[in-house]
Amino acid sequence: MKFAIFLCLILSTFKYTLQCGCPAVYTQQLVCYSDIVMKARIEDQDEHIGEFNISIDTIYKGEDVLDSLSNNRILTTPMESSKCGPITLDTGKIYIMTANSFDGAPMNINFCDLVAEENEISLTLMRGLSGGYFSNCDCKIPYMWDDDTRRGRLRCGRATRGCSTNAICSKNTRGRCKWQSCR
């Protein structure tokens, strides 16, 4: 009986423990599965409510989603760490980023999205955004927690040592998916 009371006391101290978890590891996964991929400047922000005013320079993916939004200049970030937020972005800087919009709500970005300052992006990332990622979205890449990491015709498996997270999993001349841009 004492053990049961002790156990209840211990368990009640862990009321709710929620944490952020991002299953995608590779940039290609983020780009392929996001609603929107863009280059945007942060014009202004209200850090108390997690809202950014942006101006979009380039749309790599999701023009139709942006057109459906009532305000495509607002980008939100969750204020709760359990929802993988809040993201910190600097006013005046330009970022390459992925975002999502659910049921017409404002664009949302969190720690699981791609966020890279324009002046810090790699050549591989630019090549991916120029078509390498988009034309190879049918090449599957295992998520971080996947047990099955085998390769297959349309599956790259885990990247080898020396591959960056920006590497491209693309089809070769025989139609098999294979990691590119790995040293």
Side-chain angles (χ1 to χ4, degrees), residues 6 17 53 72 86 94 104 115 154 165 172-173:
F6 174 74
T17 304
N53 289 312
N72 62 11
I94 298 174
V115 179
L154 290 176
T165 56
N172 62 17
T173 55

Side-chain angles (χ1 to χ4, degrees), residues 7-165:
L7 187 61
C8 286
L9 285 173
I10 295 296
L11 291 176
S12 68
T13 62
F14 298 107
K15 188 176 177 183
Y16 295 100
T17 304
L18 299 174
Q19 60 184 346
C20 173
C22 305
V25 179
Y26 300 99
T27 304
Q28 184 169 341
Q29 291 169 308
L30 297 174
V31 167
C32 288
Y33 300 129
S34 293
D35 294 333
I36 302 160
V37 183
M38 64 185 161
K39 177 167 62 168
R41 177 184 301 276
I42 307 302
E43 300 293 349
D44 190 23
Q45 62 182 294
D46 186 339
E47 57 195 40
H48 301 295
I49 61 171
E51 192 172 280
F52 302 95
N53 289 312
I54 63 169
S55 60
I56 299 171
D57 294 340
T58 306
I59 301 169
Y60 298 102
K61 176 184 177 188
E63 192 165 350
D64 56 330
V65 176
L66 285 167
D67 288 344
S68 72
L69 299 177
S70 61
N71 187 345
N72 62 11
R73 294 183 47 85
I74 300 291
L75 179 68
T76 62
T77 183
M79 296 304 293
E80 303 86 8
S81 61
S82 62
K83 295 181 180 176
C84 301
I87 291 287
T88 303
L89 302 171
D90 295 327
T91 301
K93 290 196 175 175
I94 298 174
Y95 295 90
I96 304 286
M97 60 181 92
T98 59
N100 289 290
S101 176
F102 304 101
D103 296 326
M107 290 179 283
N108 185 280
I109 189 168
N110 62 40
F111 285 126
C112 297
D113 284 298
L114 168 68
V115 179
E117 280 189 52
E118 180 188 38
N119 60 353
E120 296 178 0
I121 59 173
S122 69
L123 185 60
T124 304
L125 175 58
M126 279 312 299
R127 208 167 61 234
L129 291 173
S130 296
Y133 295 142
F134 303 111
S135 63
N136 290 290
C137 284
D138 55 339
C139 286
K140 300 302 175 208
I141 304 168
Y143 285 105
M144 182 187 302
W145 300 298
D146 280 352
D147 289 333
D148 184 8
T149 61
R150 293 173 293 162
R151 293 176 130 186
R153 186 175 174 285
L154 290 176
R155 187 176 171 94
C156 270
R158 287 236 177 11
T160 59
R161 184 178 219 153
C163 253
S164 82
T165 56

